[in-house]
Amino acid sequence: RELALELLSSIVLRFPLFRSAPYSFVAELATTFAWILCMSGDSVVEEGHIVEEAHFVMHGRLHIDSTRPENLLKHRARIMEEGPLEFGVGAWFGEACLFRSGITHKLSATALVDTEMATLQASQYHRIAEKYPRVAEQHKNLGKAVEEKRASIQQLAYKASGPLPKASTSSFRISLYGRDSRVRPSATPTA
């Protein structure tokens, strides 16, 4: 368990949902990740396929594209950028499956070089979260906030470079695992 957490911690703990989570929860979760090696040119995910797992890039680079440019907006640091994106070490995608089932990928990802990824099945995440009442309650509250449009899954999305420019001064406070954070509402649809 400790070895799994050590291997994943530098990347996976950047993911906002896990950043302030209890150590024991993250350590147990670390044991459920699957490791995938994609060779250069391999298709990692295809647009339109069902999202069942969150992907974390541990080593390598991915080419990210979509048939609809607006689908890439949530991953752009600057809204005015165009064209495909590149995700490197530390990037993640597929996080929406932790909150919704039956959704599809809005992007395609192809390995640019040999790329190693850690993947987390949504079902494994939920199984372990249920063992930790505080985590389960926080996840339920965040899910409810997303449904009520007070929060957006887009806020968990990896940004290809740098922080988003401040477009709004409104925000609300959300408490994740007993720690408060200010969150800015998103005007762009998620998934």
Side-chain angles (χ1 to χ4, degrees):
R1 180 167 123 153
E2 298 300 319
L3 177 59
L5 181 58
E6 181 62 31
L7 291 170
L8 291 165
S9 64
S10 66
I11 305 298
V12 174
L13 291 180
R14 293 181 194 174
F15 183 57
L17 194 59
F18 304 148
R19 200 175 292 144
S20 59
Y23 177 84
S24 57
F25 167 72
V26 176
E28 186 170 349
L29 201 60
T31 65
T32 68
F33 277 80
W35 291 81
I36 298 172
L37 176 62
C38 300
M39 306 306 286
S40 179
D42 283 355
S43 176
V44 177
V45 297
E46 292 184 28
E47 189 172 358
H49 286 197
I50 298 291
V51 183
E52 298 177 320
E53 58 197 8
H55 297 261
F56 297 85
V57 180
M58 304 303 290
H59 177 76
R61 288 188 341 261
L62 299 174
H63 172 84
I64 306 295
D65 208 350
S66 176
T67 57
R68 300 184 65 193
E70 63 270 17
N71 289 341
L72 300 179
L73 285 177
K74 75 176 189 175
H75 295 291
R76 294 196 186 283
R78 293 171 198 85
I79 300 296
M80 300 309 289
E81 291 176 347
E82 294 181 359
L85 298 170
E86 194 172 295
F87 283 1
V89 174
W92 63 81
F93 59 94
E95 66 282 348
C97 74
L98 302 178
F99 294 91
R100 296 184 183 142
S101 60
I103 59 170
T104 59
H105 282 288
K106 304 286 187 209
L107 55 81
S108 294
T110 305
L112 290 172
V113 297
D114 292 355
T115 301
E116 191 170 19
M117 293 185 309
T119 62
L120 173 62
Q121 291 282 329
S123 59
Q124 292 288 1
Y125 168 79
H126 291 291
R127 181 183 62 78
I128 292 171
E130 288 303 315
K131 293 179 174 181
Y132 296 83
R134 197 170 88 197
V135 171
E137 182 67 23
Q138 292 298 328
H139 183 85
K140 179 181 166 188
N141 291 341
L142 185 54
K144 185 176 180 180
V146 168
E147 283 179 26
E148 295 172 352
K149 307 281 190 236
R150 293 182 291 117
S152 170
I153 294 173
Q154 181 172 342
Q155 293 165 297
L156 299 176
Y158 172 78
K159 304 295 184 248
S161 62
L164 282 172
K166 291 184 179 180
S168 169
T169 56
S170 67
S171 65
F172 66 94
R173 190 168 294 281
I174 187 166
S175 177
L176 289 174
Y177 312 111
R179 297 178 183 108
D180 284 347
S181 300
R182 294 225 46 87
V183 179
R184 294 193 182 284
S186 171
T188 310
T190 64

